[in-house]
Amino acid sequence: MTEKLIDLFEYTCYFNRKMIAVITENMEKADPKIISLINHTLNAQQIWNSRISGESPCEVWQINPFESLNDINQQNFNRSIEIVEKFDFDQKVQYENSKGIKFENTVFEMLFQAINHSTYHRGQINSLLRQDGIDPVLTDYIFYKR
């Protein structure tokens, strides 16, 4: 399971980096919602990592300096891999969501949520890129594995 999760986080990091590059190349044509969504995508992974490790999370919709997004993506990847390698996947973690509601999930569920959430928002970003006349990034997992 460890190797599979590492592979999925490598996939996530790789396509986040590709998205950031396409947005950077087309910043003048990109809808502001794209900037919001790529930030949210990265913030959410950081938040899930923080919930697991007991650290202070960033804000869900905060806008980071655009030039820092690749660094944030890499930091998220590194932290996710540390968690994958050090935590018991069945360990339950209590946390509060952004509205202050308490929940409990396993480490595996939280890690999978981070991966799945990123995939979902990259799809939204691709739709917005296409609407703005920008070629979307083919982010299907199978393309990554080919």
Side-chain angles (χ1 to χ4, degrees):
M1 182 64 71
T2 298
E3 296 81 22
K4 296 293 183 192
L5 280 171
I6 289 171
D7 180 59
L8 290 171
F9 278 112
E10 287 171 344
Y11 155 75
T12 298
C13 183
Y14 176 82
F15 279 118
N16 285 346
R17 191 169 41 251
K18 291 282 188 191
M19 281 287 180
I20 293 165
V22 167
I23 297 166
T24 300
E25 293 167 9
N26 295 282
M27 192 69 83
E28 70 287 342
K29 296 191 316 188
D31 184 307
K33 181 77 173 159
I34 293 171
I35 305 304
S36 178
L37 283 171
I38 192 64
N39 274 277
H40 173 71
T41 301
L42 299 176
N43 293 343
Q45 185 175 349
Q46 192 270 340
I47 289 167
W48 285 109
N49 286 341
S50 296
R51 288 173 176 164
I52 294 167
S53 59
E55 299 166 357
S56 297
C58 61
E59 295 294 320
V60 175
W61 290 101
Q62 80 181 33
I63 301 297
N64 303 291
F66 197 82
E67 61 275 2
S68 70
L69 295 186
N70 276 312
D71 288 339
I72 292 168
N73 184 44
Q74 188 62 47
Q75 290 166 11
N76 283 343
F77 171 76
N78 294 343
R79 188 66 184 126
S80 294
I81 297 308
E82 287 175 19
I83 290 168
V84 166
E85 291 175 340
K86 293 180 181 172
F87 280 76
D88 174 357
F89 298 146
D90 294 323
Q91 176 185 339
K92 293 194 179 224
V93 177
Q94 294 180 352
Y95 62 94
E96 289 185 11
N97 70 5
S98 60
K99 296 178 182 170
I101 301 170
K102 294 183 185 209
F103 293 96
E104 180 179 274
N105 288 94
T106 66
V107 169
F108 176 82
E109 292 166 341
M110 295 166 82
L111 290 171
F112 188 76
Q113 169 60 22
I115 294 163
N116 196 50
H117 184 264
S118 295
T119 302
Y120 172 76
H121 284 303
R122 283 192 302 270
Q124 286 184 308
I125 293 167
N126 267 337
S127 291
L128 290 169
L129 289 171
R130 185 174 279 118
Q131 287 175 12
D132 291 341
I134 303 164
D135 289 334
V137 179
L138 298 175
T139 61
D140 289 350
Y141 179 75
I142 202 70
F143 295 134
Y144 174 71
K145 296 308 286 185
R146 288 182 179 161

